[in-house]
Amino acid sequence: MDKHTNEGQSLPQLLHDELPAEHEDPLIRRLHLIIRYAVKVLAVLMVMVIIWGVFDVIYVLYSKFIAPPMFLFEVQDIFVIFGAFMVVLIAVEIFINIRLYLGTNILPIRLVVATALMAIARKVIILDISLITAMEMLGIAAIVLALGVTHWLVGKPNQ
């Protein structure tokens, strides 16, 4: 099993071979090829979403800067700006997942969990406490806890 090193630390990885380029059945081989091209199209589309997201961040910043009072942000404005930034960063993480899926035979479980953690962190950052129920808050807390424990367990070196 291959291991990907990150800053001198060995991270556990799972190997995947769901879409092998070689297969004894020519139909399955062609279908795998089609799916690989579809994933490449998704990667291109994700780059377009990232670029669009960057323009959205610029637009949000510009509109908040010129809104009266000029050059001053209210707390709600800061949450909107943080949300715009986080969406672009999540899109970048998803692109990295797609690229790793295409470029290696390593399934980046820790990166997928980290992306999910970033998405739920975005939700928590822009959360309006006055509009959320206690059950929704407990649900978010359970998701954060489960993802955090999963990230920790996946990142532990094999004993």
Side-chain angles (χ1 to χ4, degrees):
M1 178 160 69
D2 289 348
K3 297 208 184 234
H4 183 310
T5 57
N6 187 10
E7 298 175 14
Q9 182 183 25
S10 180
L11 302 175
Q13 302 287 326
L14 299 177
L15 295 178
H16 75 93
D17 196 20
E18 292 87 6
L19 302 170
E22 316 77 36
H23 196 275
E24 64 270 2
D25 186 349
L27 175 63
I28 299 297
R29 189 171 46 245
R30 283 189 209 105
L31 293 175
H32 286 182
L33 183 65
I34 290 169
I35 291 172
R36 285 191 175 276
Y37 280 116
V39 173
K40 288 179 182 180
V41 169
L42 288 175
V44 170
L45 292 173
M46 186 55 66
V47 169
M48 292 169 57
V49 167
I50 291 167
I51 292 168
W52 192 335
V54 169
F55 285 124
D56 182 60
V57 169
I58 293 168
Y59 173 75
V60 167
L61 280 171
Y62 174 75
S63 64
K64 296 301 177 188
F65 269 128
I66 65 168
M70 289 182 67
F71 302 112
L72 293 176
F73 293 140
E74 294 181 13
V75 173
Q76 189 60 35
D77 296 335
I78 294 172
F79 286 141
V80 170
I81 293 167
F82 284 171
F85 271 92
M86 293 292 286
V87 166
V88 174
L89 292 175
I90 292 166
V92 169
E93 293 292 331
I94 292 170
F95 172 77
I96 292 169
N97 282 318
I98 293 170
R99 187 185 54 80
L100 285 175
Y101 184 82
L102 282 174
T104 67
N105 72 338
I106 295 173
L107 188 62
I109 298 295
R110 191 167 188 197
L111 183 59
V112 172
V113 174
T115 303
L117 270 170
M118 184 179 279
I120 197 70
R122 177 193 176 274
K123 176 71 174 172
V124 170
I125 289 170
I126 65 169
L127 193 63
D128 187 352
I129 299 297
S130 65
L131 301 176
I132 192 165
T133 67
M135 288 305 291
E136 290 171 327
M137 185 66 83
L138 285 173
I140 291 171
I143 292 169
V144 169
L145 180 63
L147 287 171
V149 168
T150 302
H151 191 268
W152 175 69
L153 287 173
V154 170
K156 284 181 70 168
N158 291 339
Q159 314 258 343

